[in-house]
Amino acid sequence: SFLDALPEDALTNLTIDIIQDLHLTYDTFRTDTSRTSISLHPLKSLHEVTQAREELPTTTPGQGSAPEESGATAGATWQLMICTRERAGTLAKIAGVLSANGLNILSAQLISTQAGLVLDMFHVEKVRQSPHPNAPAPEFTLQRQEKLRTELREVLDDGRDVAELLRHRLAQHRSPMVGAPEAAVKIIGHQDLSDDYTVLELHGPDRPGLLHDIARALHEHDIEIRFSKLDLLGNQAIDTFYVESMLGEGKLTDPQL
């Protein structure tokens, strides 16, 4: 069953509402397993995102069902849910597409199931181009929404190189902070917080493409993400990853840490 496929640590850390939303996306994917299932819905305010993180996510009829066109909403945050087959570097690919589309990840719940599927829930917003903190986020138009869906499926299902998308994004939007020193990300490893997985806690300044870079680095070091929770506190990323060795050794060894 769906619940049996989830890692025990995911069941322990997720609310019933989040599990129900993920289950709906999972059921949609099962109707056509050849293509990634994507559900995209606007959240009306930052308060709803805070509720989704700290209490229960706001749900609306049809949430998690077959993808539908949502109206463009200026300044809104969005809930993105994805179900796809697990492949090498899946999280890095998804994060890369989001970054290439100018989306900032506010929080996320990421799960790899025992059945070889990836179930992800993201709360995102368009990256603000204005230096003023109270400036509204750019409008996420229907055209941009469809572009996001198309590129996610091209990368996840058809093998398109996500690095190409990121290079294109970088060429269009050069950072004004060129030459600024890059702050280090602090990483803490725990072997005693989970019976099955090593738990990695990452703390550091948020920046475009951070999750893509972290996920790619873990994959390149033969580390597989089974469950993770991502949050943004101000400009600080606070990410927790439940991971295991891709070499069939269960928890990470001391050299890997």
Side-chain angles (χ1 to χ4, degrees):
S1 70
F2 171 74
L3 292 180
D4 290 336
L6 299 182
E8 183 177 342
D9 288 290
L11 291 173
T12 302
N13 284 276
L14 297 179
T15 66
I16 294 297
D17 282 32
I18 291 178
I19 292 174
Q20 288 174 341
D21 285 350
L22 291 171
H23 195 175
L24 287 172
T25 305
Y26 169 80
D27 284 344
T28 301
F29 175 74
R30 290 201 307 170
T31 64
D32 181 7
T33 58
S34 66
R35 304 298 285 174
T36 293
S37 174
I38 300 170
S39 173
L40 183 63
H41 298 275
L43 298 173
K44 295 180 181 178
S45 68
L46 183 60
H47 172 68
E48 289 188 25
V49 176
T50 303
Q51 275 192 319
R53 289 184 193 167
E54 298 178 357
E55 299 173 7
L56 295 177
T58 300
T59 56
T60 56
Q63 200 166 32
S65 57
E68 298 178 356
E69 291 279 344
S70 297
T73 307
T77 56
W78 294 74
Q79 176 176 279
L80 171 67
M81 303 184 70
I82 299 172
C83 183
T84 190
R85 293 199 177 279
E86 186 169 16
R87 304 173 181 87
T90 297
L91 176 56
K93 293 175 182 178
I94 293 174
V97 174
L98 296 182
S99 181
N101 278 268
L103 292 170
N104 187 38
I105 300 171
L106 302 176
S107 66
Q109 311 279 353
L110 316 170
I111 302 172
S112 293
T113 74
Q114 305 296 338
L117 300 179
V118 172
L119 279 164
D120 295 343
M121 174 191 285
F122 297 90
H123 291 113
V124 300
E125 69 174 359
K126 289 291 291 181
V127 173
R128 301 170 190 272
Q129 303 298 329
S130 170
H132 302 291
N134 294 325
E139 187 177 42
F140 197 19
T141 62
L142 292 175
Q143 182 179 8
R144 288 174 174 173
Q145 294 171 44
E146 187 55 36
K147 177 176 177 290
L148 173 64
R149 292 189 183 95
T150 298
E151 291 182 352
L152 280 169
R153 292 192 173 106
E154 287 177 346
V155 169
L156 295 173
D157 299 333
D158 303 330
R160 183 176 180 181
D161 184 7
V162 70
E164 168 204 336
L165 296 176
L166 289 168
R167 285 192 296 268
H168 181 67
R169 172 74 181 179
L170 183 62
Q172 288 184 320
H173 303 274
R174 293 288 180 181
S175 170
M177 300 298 290
V178 173
E182 187 171 300
V185 175
K186 182 179 180 181
I187 304 174
I188 305 173
H190 303 277
Q191 297 285 32
D192 57 348
L193 296 184
S194 169
D195 292 337
D196 302 312
Y197 309 113
T198 299
V199 179
L200 300 179
E201 294 182 0
L202 289 80
H203 303 257
D206 187 41
R207 59 172 174 78
L210 177 62
L211 179 58
H212 167 74
D213 292 343
I214 291 172
R216 184 181 60 182
L218 293 177
H219 174 69
E220 289 174 350
H221 286 81
D222 297 319
I223 297 173
E224 184 171 14
I225 301 167
R226 301 302 298 174
F227 169 63
S228 57
K229 297 176 67 176
L230 316 178
D231 277 297
L232 194 61
L233 183 62
N235 67 342
Q236 293 291 305
I238 305 173
D239 303 342
T240 304
F241 297 90
Y242 290 70
V243 302
E244 63 182 358
S245 172
M246 294 173 61
L247 305 177
E249 300 171 354
K251 291 186 177 185
L252 304 187
T253 62
D254 289 339
Q256 283 180 297
L257 281 175

